[in-house]
Amino acid sequence: MNLIIMGAPGAGKGTQAQIITDKLGIPAISTGDILRGAIKEGTELGRAARSYMDRGELVPDDIVIGMVKQYLSSERCKNGFLLDGFPRSIEQAESLARLGVKIDAVLAIEVDDEKIVERMSGRRVCPGCGASYHLKYNPPKTPGRCDRCSAELYARSDDNPETVRTRLATYHRQTEPVKKYYAGQGLLITVDGNQAIEEISKIILDALSRLGSKNDTDKK
């Protein structure tokens, strides 16, 4: 399956993406992770993207689209993929279509804005092993220290409440229209993301199972 997962920053896309890809055996392609990795490494791409991300703004399309195109043409995507964080605008969605990429379903996880602010402002990340924690929902055993490698945890600059609200405003303005774009093609599956992680996963996997059965029937 070729899938897209959508939702505001902090809606739980990354968590659900991992569950989906483990179940279906396809790679998850997170443009956010790629960009943050480039920033950490200090590459030219990272330096170009950092100022946009720190302000809670979207990275320009020419940077993101070229990166996604490279990934989708790789051998690892031959049996399907899940795009996490792309497309974020109508222009990006249309660029994906021009590349000739067939999408089987678009998953949209919906979460209340204030719940997202609470989720993201409480996140802490390990600079050593990359483990992620939350002060309320998934706290480390030792405050401020990673359970795995004992490194000191930190809050990402784009997780402070003001930046989160800016990112949410950007999302609603520029990305939500993408849902209408895919809904018009009959590809959109909307999921209530205010529920427990396990319940969200069950709803998504059940929907994809039904879609897979329908696709198999249509091919016969």
Side-chain angles (χ1 to χ4, degrees), residues 28-170:
I29 304 170
S30 170
T31 54
D33 286 347
I34 295 170
L35 287 170
R36 280 189 289 271
I39 289 172
K40 184 177 181 180
E41 294 168 9
T43 65
E44 183 177 353
L45 170 62
R47 291 193 298 273
R50 180 165 190 164
S51 62
Y52 293 95
M53 295 181 70
D54 283 349
R55 295 195 301 268
E57 298 176 5
L58 297 180
V59 176
D61 283 355
D62 58 342
I63 296 176
V64 180
I65 291 170
M67 183 169 51
V68 171
K69 180 179 180 180
Q70 181 181 12
Y71 267 76
L72 295 186
S73 62
S74 67
E75 182 71 12
R76 66 197 293 261
C77 293
K78 68 177 183 179
N79 293 322
F81 55 81
L82 185 145
L83 283 172
D84 175 4
F86 183 91
R88 291 185 175 182
S89 66
I90 293 293
E91 291 76 13
Q92 289 182 354
E94 291 174 341
S95 295
L96 192 63
R98 285 195 295 271
L99 292 176
V101 178
K102 178 183 179 297
I103 299 299
D104 295 300
V106 178
L107 304 165
I109 301 177
E110 301 291 332
V111 180
D112 298 336
D113 280 5
E114 285 309 307
K115 191 172 186 66
I116 286 178
V117 173
E118 178 188 44
R119 284 182 182 180
M120 297 186 70
S121 61
R123 290 199 303 193
R124 296 296 182 269
V125 181
C126 175
C129 66
S132 182
Y133 300 88
H134 193 281
L135 298 181
K136 179 178 180 180
Y137 301 110
N138 181 34
K141 296 176 181 176
T142 301
R145 293 287 176 179
C146 178
D147 293 347
R148 298 179 184 175
C149 65
S150 298
E152 185 175 356
L153 303 177
Y154 74 99
R156 288 187 347 212
S157 60
D158 55 349
D159 278 350
N160 75 72
E162 286 188 8
T163 302
V164 172
R165 289 190 172 91
T166 298
R167 295 173 69 190
L168 286 170
T170 299

Side-chain angles (χ1 to χ4, degrees), residues 14-28:
T15 298
Q16 295 303 326
Q18 186 62 58
I19 293 170
I20 293 166
T21 54
D22 286 347
K23 182 69 174 181
L24 301 183
I26 58 176

